[in-house]
Amino acid sequence: MTLLVTVFAAIACTVVWYRSAEARQLKAGTLCLMYWGASLMWLVDAIFEYAERGAESFVPAPLDMLNDLYLGLSVVALGLIIWLVTLFVRDPKGVVRVALLQKNS
């Protein structure tokens, strides 16, 4: 379930990045790379779990699926938080700088 959540987030982010010039300016590519990296990590984990447990790994308990869903959603949320912090630090449009200068005036 974690793999599915992160792959869907990576695909959605990549589509937005590809279709929007503003998303590219806002460094959405960084977010895409984080999600694709997480997807790759979960894919390797699934491969090793399949090698260890066999076909049994495709029939998880409902509670395990729920826990994996929460983990996948928390990874997506953490990626968004990291991207937002990066966005505020880099400030590609200068919005934060202008807001701080207006506050000091």
Side-chain angles (χ1 to χ4, degrees), residues 46 49-50 53-60:
E49 184 178 1
Y50 177 74
R53 295 178 48 195
E56 182 182 317
S57 63
F58 290 114
V59 190

Side-chain angles (χ1 to χ4, degrees), residues 16-38:
V16 169
W17 171 82
Y18 186 76
R19 299 190 89 209
S20 171
E22 185 176 358
R24 286 189 293 279
Q25 183 183 7
L26 294 176
K27 308 297 184 197
T30 304
L31 184 62
C32 293
L33 288 174
M34 284 190 284
Y35 288 158
W36 282 115

Side-chain angles (χ1 to χ4, degrees), residues 8-73:
F8 287 144
I11 291 171
C13 181
T14 302
V15 167
V16 169
W17 171 82
Y18 186 76
R19 299 190 89 209
S20 171
E22 185 176 358
R24 286 189 293 279
Q25 183 183 7
L26 294 176
K27 308 297 184 197
T30 304
L31 184 62
C32 293
L33 288 174
M34 284 190 284
Y35 288 158
W36 282 115
S39 299
L40 181 62
M41 179 186 70
W42 295 122
L43 177 64
V44 170
D45 181 58
I47 290 169
F48 276 93
E49 184 178 1
Y50 177 74
E52 184 178 299
R53 295 178 48 195
E56 182 182 317
S57 63
F58 290 114
V59 190
L63 187 59
D64 291 338
M65 287 180 63
L66 185 62
N67 286 336
D68 286 348
L69 175 67
Y70 288 147
L71 181 60
L73 292 175

